[in-house]
Amino acid sequence: EVQLVESGGGLVQPGGSLRLSCAASGFTFSSYWMSWVRQAPGKGLEWVANIKQDGSEKYYVDSVKGRFTISRDNAKNSLYLQMNSLRAEDTAVYYCGGGSYLFPMFWGQGTLVTVSS
Amino acid sequence: AIRMTQSPSSFSASTGDRVTITCRASQGISSYLAWYQQKPGKAPKLLIYAASTLQSGVPSRFSGSGSGTDFTLTISCLQSEDFATYYCQQYYSYPPAFGGGTKVEIK
């Protein structure tokens, strides 16, 4: 069974940092593009970033460029999102997703990030 | 960036109804479109990709059509478990963009 489990969310002050993790199981993690997608409270979905199977290509939405870094460790079947210089508008549930290049075929349950003083 | 517009944003329907949700892209995206279903407090679930290809395990009452800029998701016979919010997403170009969502509520 495909499973993605996010962790690392929480309350952080504006300007602070947080690192999200996503543990994958039930599929060959190293064979798939992986993505982060977020959803602000009561709002729609927003694609954040994705990373190629070997980590050689990474793409970001403009609003997080220079602040967020996506990475992966195929030996640990894990995906990461390092988030720096956090802003109130980054408050959201962050989902990791995997499968296809630009549309996640399977998703984790999400982790909530709240940026507030 | 390509913008995706869904209509309506919400509507009420009854079990057994045939329902159609529309998604429009601000520029042509060929058939690079996916549809997701999301229930409250849950992660989205992929229903359809390539505009009309049903994801494995998704009931056949769901279907998708369209290409270019105009797309539809149809549920042929609405079931109780189908009351949810539906999102379209283009993956023709970066950044991949979602529509604003369509909430299907019980009448």
Side-chain angles (χ1 to χ4, degrees), chain A residues 5-33:
Chain A
V5 180
E6 301 93 335
S7 60
L11 175 63
V12 60
Q13 292 188 339
S17 298
L18 214 53
R19 189 195 196 207
L20 305 184
S21 299
C22 173
S25 61
F27 66 103
T28 306
F29 179 76
S30 59
S31 296
Y32 293 94
W33 281 81

Side-chain angles (χ1 to χ4, degrees), chain A residues 90-103:
Chain A
D90 296 319
T91 294
V93 174
Y94 284 74
Y95 296 101
C96 73
S100 182
Y101 170 45
L102 279 179
F103 65 92

Side-chain angles (χ1 to χ4, degrees), chain B residues 24-44:
Chain B
R24 175 165 288 176
S26 61
Q27 64 187 75
I29 60 169
S30 185
S31 296
Y32 293 95
L33 186 99
W35 288 98
Y36 299 89
Q37 175 194 68
Q38 187 179 34
K39 297 181 179 180
K42 300 295 185 182

Side-chain angles (χ1 to χ4, degrees), chain B residues 6-11 85 100-104:
Chain B
Q6 288 182 234
S7 61
S9 57
S10 67
F11 67 95
T85 300
T102 296
K103 187 175 184 180
V104 180

Side-chain angles (χ1 to χ4, degrees), chain A residues 7 19 33-34 44 59 80 99 105 108:
Chain A
S7 60
R19 189 195 196 207
W33 281 81
M34 296 297 294
Y59 301 93
Y80 306 100
M105 302 178 77

